[in-house]
Amino acid sequence: MITKIQEEFKKRYGDGALLYASPGRVNLIGEHTDYNLGFVLPGAIDKSIYLAIKPNDGTLSRLYSVDYDATVNVDMNGEQPQEQWASYIYGVVQEMKKRGATVPAFDCVFGGDVPLGAGLSSSAALECVTGFAINEVYNLGLNRKDLAIIGQMTEHNYIGVKCGIMDQFASLFGEKGKVIRLDCRSMEYVLEPFNPVGYKVVLIDSMVKHTLASSEYNVRRAQCEVGVSIIGKHAEGIESLRDVSMDMLNTYRAEMDEMVYRRCRYVIEENQRLIDGCQALKDGDYALFGSKMFGSHDGLSKDYEVSCKELDFIATIGRKTDGVLGARMMGGGFGGCVINVVNDATYDSYIDEVKSRYTTEFQVTPRIIDVVIGDGARRLE
Ligand code: GLA
């Protein structure tokens, strides 16, 4: 893919491009907690979006997507382009301009090996590689945290998804062999070594594209905000579900819709599962960590209702298989992957069983993706 991008750039726009990469992510536990200002535990993966870029002295930026085999020429001082893929790049430039940056026109070619629509945050990877590259090429002096927020705001303002900060943060701050324990309220983070000896972390992609994700995502976010506002009427300083305990939620349960109650319960419990899970990882207790993953899946499926029958099917096989320590849907939901922690000895038979049963049930073969934790955004030589 990298060679292809370089060749395409040369062919279309000539020599002298700089090349950048920014990866997709996995998340071990802590789902739908980021925009509720809780904790997440993502890591960058070894699959990225790659982007070649060079200033062009013109007024139009010329963008070419290798994956879509399509070109769009954009006036970054004009209207948002119709193509969503071009809107990510346009949005990043607009967000940079809002922060006082001058971004002259450029040529760019991009593509990647992050599977699209699989819940591995290929869109965050595109936002982050764009932001990281433009920041370097034009010496804008933005730091990685700024770039993460620029990516997040691109989703909010140009794509229409009111996402949290997890995906962009992981894409920019990831490090090989480490997961990031991020507190989404303070934005403080710790990089923890993640090398489970004797276990494999594997993704099973349901191949269901998460099309419902953006509209339902915003609905979940709004439901959590309703819960916060109800509790905030009774207690001081309640700004997010991070400030709400299970006791408080139960005290005011009668005032809220049952659905809002369940959404809030899931988030509060998920934060606790993450805290307990991190301790389990520190203690090397992968069985306990895995049980938190199953708990996370149950909450996402029953209380938060962002799973689907295909993801539930895979997680259920995981739960019934000795040697599978944990399995849960990952990311926004409504499709995409199940992330599994599996004993080395069980790995082959588990994968075979899931593949064969899933194919029989849904007439689709799931894709197996071994997780390798890689580096965050960077320039490639
Ligand atoms: C998507 C969003 C993230 C996060 C996850 C769910 O990936 O982009 O901000 O909310 O869903 O944990």
Side-chain angles (χ1 to χ4, degrees):
M1 179 51 90
I2 295 176
T3 321
K4 173 110 211 255
I5 288 168
Q6 285 171 315
E7 280 167 4
E8 285 290 346
F9 193 97
K10 216 173 203 169
K11 192 171 91 194
R12 287 161 195 278
Y13 311 124
D15 288 325
L18 296 179
L19 189 65
Y20 294 87
S22 202
R25 61 102 189 89
V26 290
N27 185 29
L28 293 183
I29 195 161
E31 219 64 86
H32 287 274
T33 44
D34 57 355
Y35 55 84
N36 288 303
L37 305 190
F39 301 101
V40 291
L41 195 62
I45 55 174
D46 63 339
K47 295 175 175 49
S48 294
I49 302 290
Y50 306 97
L51 178 131
I53 183 169
K54 194 181 137 188
N56 74 9
D57 298 330
T59 51
L60 294 181
S61 288
R62 298 181 294 184
L63 321 176
Y64 175 71
S65 158
V66 170
D67 296 310
Y68 293 105
D69 184 20
T71 313
V72 176
N73 295 335
V74 189
D75 176 358
M76 294 294 178
N77 298 317
E79 302 268 290
Q80 179 171 345
Q82 309 240 300
E83 297 78 357
Q84 196 178 58
W85 64 263
S87 285
Y88 287 109
I89 298 175
Y90 175 87
V92 168
V93 172
Q94 304 313 308
E95 290 298 327
M96 289 177 144
K97 291 203 299 197
K98 285 182 198 167
R99 287 158 182 79
T102 306
V103 183
F106 55 86
D107 295 329
C108 86
V109 171
F110 75 96
D113 51 12
V114 188
L116 301 177
L120 297 175
S121 297
S122 52
S123 53
L126 175 55
E127 291 145 19
C128 293
V129 76
T130 303
F132 191 87
I134 293 176
N135 185 46
E136 271 208 14
V137 167
Y138 293 121
N139 252 313
L140 301 180
L142 297 161
N143 62 33
R144 285 183 193 248
K145 215 171 260 183
D146 300 327
L147 295 174
I149 294 168
I150 284 169
Q152 180 193 22
M153 287 305 125
T154 298
E155 294 276 352
H156 284 216
N157 299 328
Y158 300 91
I159 305 298
V161 181
K162 303 280 180 201
C163 68
I165 196 74
M166 169 169 73
D167 305 345
Q168 292 79 7
F169 202 92
S171 189
L172 285 154
F173 285 85
E175 271 182 33
K176 206 173 195 162
K178 293 184 180 155
V179 291
I180 310 166
R181 184 187 192 279
L182 171 66
D183 178 338
C184 300
R185 181 166 62 183
S186 66
M187 294 285 276
E188 277 166 15
Y189 68 100
V190 189
L191 286 160
E192 305 267 12
F194 184 70
N195 177 29
V197 178
Y199 304 98
K200 286 192 168 51
V201 182
V202 60
L203 300 174
I204 302 176
D205 183 358
S206 66
M207 307 301 282
V208 177
K209 300 282 170 226
H210 54 173
T211 41
L212 250 178
S214 46
S215 54
E216 284 299 315
Y217 187 96
N218 293 347
V219 170
R220 294 301 176 282
R221 185 169 181 147
Q223 288 166 333
C224 292
E225 281 163 9
V226 169
V228 169
S229 78
I230 291 170
I231 293 162
K233 280 191 226 145
H234 300 282
E236 287 287 304
I238 304 293
E239 276 160 19
S240 69
L241 284 178
R242 177 71 175 279
D243 306 316
V244 177
S245 65
M246 270 315 287
D247 280 349
M248 286 166 103
L249 182 68
N250 285 327
T251 305
Y252 304 112
R253 179 174 187 169
E255 291 179 36
M256 57 186 85
D257 189 278
E258 179 62 18
M259 190 184 277
V260 167
Y261 172 77
R262 281 191 287 116
R263 305 297 192 243
C264 296
R265 173 170 70 189
Y266 161 76
V267 172
I268 296 167
E269 289 179 351
E270 180 76 349
N271 274 321
Q272 192 57 48
R273 276 190 289 266
L274 184 143
I275 292 166
D276 297 343
C278 284
Q279 188 56 48
L281 283 182
K282 274 210 177 81
D283 300 340
D285 188 345
Y286 288 97
L288 181 58
F289 184 78
S291 74
K292 301 293 167 194
M293 292 175 75
F294 286 128
S296 173
H297 184 85
D298 283 345
L300 286 160
S301 180
K302 297 191 184 109
D303 273 354
Y304 220 63
E305 295 181 282
V306 291
S307 186
C308 59
K309 59 181 187 311
E310 292 85 351
L311 294 170
D312 288 345
F313 185 86
I314 299 169
T316 302
I317 301 178
R319 192 186 299 266
K320 290 185 179 156
T321 308
D322 287 340
V324 176
L325 302 187
R328 60 174 206 86
M329 57 148 280
M330 190 184 77
F334 303 102
C337 296
V338 170
I339 181 166
N340 307 264
V341 177
V342 188
N343 254 330
D344 282 345
T346 312
Y347 180 84
D348 288 337
S349 59
Y350 175 56
I351 295 300
D352 287 348
E353 183 181 353
V354 172
K355 267 191 173 166
S356 110
R357 287 180 55 189
Y358 191 90
T359 309
T360 308
E361 183 80 14
F362 300 110
Q363 283 79 54
V364 185
T365 309
R367 172 169 42 188
I368 308 303
I369 307 170
D370 288 313
V371 173
V372 178
I373 308 277
D375 281 323
R378 63 204 180 274
R379 179 165 161 214
L380 302 177
E381 291 311 321

